[in-house]
Amino acid sequence: MNIETEYPVSLSGMHGTGKKTLRDGLAARVERFSAVDYKLLQLGRMVDEEGLRVFRARAADQDRLVRDHIARGLRPVTSRHGVLDVAITACSMSRLGRIAPAAVDAFVASLADDLERAAMPRALVIVLTPAEVLQDRLLVRDQQAGSSNARGLSKLARMVEVMQEIFLAERYPHPVVERIVRRYRDAGDLFVIDTSARDRAGALADVVGFLERRGILSGQAGGRAVA
């Protein structure tokens, strides 16, 4: 995996967890941190094999944006990890019965090639939220946007379950997912936060504190494992 020292952190999680708010908060608070505003995934749409290929192509587009930020002397911060998010989305769609498990296994296995090409962040912050809270947040967001895209609690619960299995229970749905997550976990560069238990300012302070302890704000390695 190609860990890019000038790519300090990626925040990852489901829609509505608050990862973009944290991303933008970091960009506003830390000098040279720059938010990469790119909608990598659009869950609920294109959830077939062709859709997964589109997500993969968009991950490559995000990688180009990350490299462009670095070339301009900025330190990019993303709200999607790229390859990891595509892999987890595929596994979630399999769990929901939307795509055949064999097709998902083959697709995720092929993402191993992307790991050698894409720039990977120094640290990974996973933003979690219980399904009930997530459903309420998404409902408010949809109403504000004038949308009636109802999301069932059972579907959200199963998707949240996948995230919890990976990042809390260390049960991985595919070896490629395990390879990525273990790299950050074993290095002490994985941080998991539940935004239902913290307000925005508190959650941002927690993430900043983690990055400070890891020496990432200063661009230096260091600190003991915090997860």
Side-chain angles (χ1 to χ4, degrees):
M1 289 170 56
N2 176 26
I3 302 298
E4 173 55 65
T5 58
E6 290 301 304
Y7 179 8
V9 61
S10 179
L11 300 110
S12 186
M14 291 174 59
H15 287 292
T17 54
K19 61 188 184 304
K20 288 181 64 177
T21 299
L22 290 171
R23 179 202 67 188
D24 293 344
L26 286 173
R29 183 166 175 171
V30 183
E31 185 178 3
R32 290 180 56 224
F33 272 27
S34 177
V36 177
D37 190 10
Y38 186 72
K39 294 182 179 179
L40 177 63
L41 304 179
Q42 294 178 326
L43 296 179
R45 304 175 185 177
M46 301 186 297
V47 288
D48 55 10
E49 292 179 57
E50 177 59 28
L52 293 182
R53 287 189 285 270
V54 170
F55 292 161
R56 184 180 191 174
R58 290 178 67 80
D61 289 340
Q62 176 176 284
D63 184 61
R64 285 188 283 271
L65 291 173
V66 164
R67 295 178 188 276
D68 178 68
H69 277 62
I70 294 171
R72 291 187 284 123
L74 302 172
R75 303 182 73 195
V77 181
T78 60
S79 57
R80 288 291 185 186
H81 182 279
V83 177
L84 178 60
D85 280 55
V86 173
I88 292 176
T89 298
C91 294
S92 296
M93 292 304 102
S94 176
R95 177 74 61 89
L96 290 170
R98 306 290 287 272
I99 305 176
V104 166
D105 285 345
F107 173 80
V108 176
S110 72
L111 294 175
D113 295 336
D114 298 8
L115 293 180
E116 307 308 320
R117 294 190 293 266
M120 297 290 167
R122 281 274 312 277
L124 176 62
V125 173
I126 299 300
V127 188
L128 299 179
T129 303
E132 296 83 356
V133 176
L134 194 59
Q135 185 183 46
D136 291 342
R137 289 181 182 177
L138 292 173
L139 178 60
V140 171
R141 178 183 296 183
D142 289 343
Q143 290 174 339
Q144 291 174 342
S147 170
S148 59
N149 183 21
R151 297 168 174 85
L153 183 60
S154 62
K155 174 183 175 182
L156 287 174
R158 279 182 286 172
M159 296 173 72
V160 168
E161 183 180 67
V162 171
M163 297 292 288
Q164 291 174 335
E165 287 176 359
I166 295 169
F167 296 106
L168 299 181
E170 299 185 48
R171 297 199 302 269
Y172 303 101
H174 194 280
V176 168
V177 174
E178 180 176 8
R179 177 184 172 191
I180 298 170
V181 177
R182 280 197 177 278
R183 187 271 165 222
Y184 290 101
R185 189 186 299 278
D186 293 348
D189 292 331
L190 173 67
F191 185 70
V192 180
I193 184 167
D194 180 352
T195 55
S196 70
R198 300 286 277 154
D199 60 18
R200 292 182 178 182
L204 179 59
D206 288 346
V207 174
V208 169
F210 162 69
L211 296 176
E212 286 178 336
R213 292 190 295 274
R214 297 304 301 152
I216 291 171
L217 295 188
S218 63
Q220 302 297 318
R224 57 172 296 173
V226 178

